[in-house]
Amino acid sequence: MKQVILTGDRPTGRLHVGHYVGSLKERVKLQNSNKYDEIYIMIADAQALTDNAEHPEKVRQNIMQVALDYLACGLDPQKSTIFIQSMVPELTELTFYYMNLVTVSRVQRNPTVKSEIKMRGFETSIPVGFFCYPISQAADITAFGATAVPVGEDQLPMLEQCKEIVHKFNSVYGETLIDPQIILPDNEACLRLPGIDGKAKMSKSIGNCIYLSDEEADIKKKVMSMFTDPNHLRVQDPGKVEGNPVFIYLDAFCRPEYFEEFLPEYSGLDELKAHYQRGGLGDVKVKKFLNNVIQEELRPIRERRKMWKQRLPEVYEILKEGSKTAREKAGQTLQDVRHAMLIDYFDNDNLLK
């Protein structure tokens, strides 16, 4: 069996460091591991329209922004197929067939759907398209025969629902779809990076993000304004590192060599944490260190992004060719699905048999 990856992002804004540590960094690592035969990276514009139907220009403008972020992070169009979801209409047809295999109550129980509905204030006015988000995602994954899906922790319920749809389809129509495996980041701090305001999740809609494309001065301003332990009022006060965004970011980004370069008086992160916990270490010093760490991590990404921004016609061709390749692959799966469901009426005169 071919080893295939499918993953992607909604183009509702530029990508941020939460995307990077939660998924993008892992995608690049997997891409360069030579363990996978095919890698598909989807810009999920159709899913973005489920809660932006009245603002299609927002989605349209951000497609190129997300593509630039992908290329800046190291996704290579020679190794990964980068494509636009709505340019593969076969995905919509698969979604429609899968809808018959899922109950309304099951979608309502999906924790990710519930939290997203609450966050967007939909309450009783939920767009049907948004409500069917997990089913659409299952179509995306199965259309490319994905054997592995690298995601952040918040997408786990979506992947679990996809696996249920695969099992249901195969039990009803015969073995047709591939059951995907979930790949989570190894570093626990990367599973769900909090916002700089201390809220549970970094979110473009809330505006509590550090973007991959942020300039050096913007990053510094955001880091220095980050929420920290509210009870750590004076340098000598003991501080908490658990749930402290500054230390969560250090867990996610810090490498041993950064201490040698920027904070040589400490042997590593454990020693820094211990000092903060017993008191005598101020938030400003820790934030200055974190700023240096993030600047080093994002500088090459920002520089590559600026380079690709000067080559937009080339980015356009990458998306166009990637979408063509993706459509061919999804078309093969759709053909298999139609055959399994006995609705391939005009193939080999099947309707007459």
Side-chain angles (χ1 to χ4, degrees):
M1 183 189 294
K2 279 187 175 181
Q3 295 301 300
V4 181
I5 283 176
L6 180 283
T7 186
D9 300 278
R10 288 159 42 101
T12 53
R14 295 170 294 151
L15 301 183
H16 52 64
V17 293
H19 293 117
Y20 180 64
V21 298
S23 182
L24 283 171
K25 194 174 182 180
E26 184 68 18
R27 291 177 203 174
V28 174
K29 180 181 169 185
L30 295 171
Q31 168 194 265
N32 297 332
S33 70
N34 297 318
K35 294 180 180 177
Y36 294 89
D37 302 289
E38 298 171 6
I39 298 174
Y40 295 91
I41 312 291
M42 181 179 73
I43 300 178
D45 65 318
Q47 288 177 4
L49 285 168
T50 61
D51 59 327
N52 288 280
E54 296 176 5
H55 305 285
E57 72 286 347
K58 174 186 174 184
V59 176
R60 180 187 178 92
Q61 290 165 5
N62 280 306
I63 286 174
M64 212 44 119
Q65 296 296 327
V66 171
L68 288 171
D69 285 332
Y70 282 167
L71 295 167
C73 285
L75 289 174
D76 183 349
Q78 298 300 316
K79 299 177 180 179
S80 298
T81 300
I82 305 172
F83 70 97
I84 301 172
Q85 184 184 29
S86 66
M87 295 295 97
V88 186
E90 289 78 4
L91 300 176
T92 307
E93 187 171 343
L94 284 172
T95 300
F96 185 76
Y97 297 146
Y98 294 171
M99 283 179 183
N100 299 317
L101 305 175
V102 184
T103 64
V104 170
S105 62
R106 174 62 186 93
V107 176
Q108 285 175 324
R109 291 198 307 274
N110 187 306
T112 303
V113 173
K114 286 164 73 173
S115 65
E116 294 280 349
I117 286 171
K118 183 178 180 181
M119 188 177 80
R120 286 168 172 76
F122 282 151
E123 297 171 350
T124 57
S125 58
I126 310 165
V128 173
F130 186 84
F131 189 70
C132 295
Y133 187 175
I135 306 169
S136 169
Q137 198 167 76
D140 300 330
I141 293 166
T142 57
F144 300 98
T147 55
V149 185
V151 293
E153 185 186 37
D154 61 325
Q155 290 298 307
L156 266 176
M158 296 293 203
L159 267 292
E160 288 163 359
Q161 190 145 16
C162 173
K163 290 169 77 69
E164 288 176 18
I165 289 171
V166 168
H167 297 159
K168 180 72 172 178
F169 188 97
N170 289 345
S171 67
V172 174
Y173 301 112
E175 291 293 323
T176 307
L177 303 177
I178 294 171
D179 188 0
Q181 299 305 306
I182 301 163
I183 301 177
L184 291 171
D186 295 330
N187 187 338
E188 193 175 330
C190 299
L191 294 177
R192 189 183 288 261
L193 205 62
I196 59 173
D197 56 358
K199 291 197 175 359
K201 185 182 176 184
M202 187 173 285
S203 171
K204 290 175 282 189
S205 58
I206 299 174
N208 59 354
C209 312
I210 295 173
Y211 292 100
L212 297 176
S213 54
D214 275 346
E215 293 293 340
E216 191 171 340
D218 296 322
I219 293 170
K220 183 177 181 180
K221 184 178 178 182
K222 289 179 179 180
V223 171
M224 298 310 292
S225 69
M226 279 179 72
F227 181 85
T228 184
D229 179 1
N231 296 315
H232 188 246
L233 302 175
R234 298 170 300 174
V235 171
Q236 60 266 37
D237 291 339
K240 282 180 62 179
V241 298
E242 297 82 7
N244 186 327
V246 174
F247 283 95
I248 294 173
Y249 277 57
L250 284 172
D251 280 328
F253 286 100
C254 196
R255 295 187 232 165
E257 56 263 35
Y258 289 146
F259 277 95
E260 296 172 21
E261 186 173 357
F262 302 119
L263 213 58
E265 62 265 41
Y266 294 92
S267 61
L269 195 50
D270 287 342
E271 188 180 346
L272 185 73
K273 286 180 178 179
H275 191 178
Y276 189 81
Q277 286 172 314
R278 69 175 179 264
L281 177 59
D283 288 321
V284 171
K285 185 171 183 176
V286 182
K287 287 180 178 181
K288 283 182 177 178
F289 175 57
L290 174 60
N291 175 60
N292 286 328
V293 168
I294 293 183
Q295 298 287 4
E296 286 299 305
E297 289 283 314
L298 297 190
R299 185 174 292 111
I301 294 173
R302 185 169 60 244
E303 289 172 359
R304 281 194 298 266
R305 196 182 198 278
K306 287 178 179 178
M307 180 270 290
W308 277 108
K309 199 171 182 180
Q310 300 301 314
R311 299 160 60 181
L312 288 182
E314 192 175 335
V315 179
Y316 173 86
E317 287 300 322
I318 288 169
L319 295 176
K320 187 177 179 182
E321 286 304 308
S323 297
K324 181 181 176 183
T325 301
R327 187 167 188 190
E328 289 171 1
K329 176 75 173 186
Q332 294 168 11
T333 301
L334 181 58
Q335 198 171 14
D336 293 340
V337 164
R338 284 174 152 271
H339 180 72
M341 295 177 67
L342 306 179
I343 57 174
D344 55 342
Y345 303 126
F346 300 128
D347 292 352
N348 302 314
D349 299 326
N350 280 342
L351 191 60
L352 296 173
K353 295 176 183 175

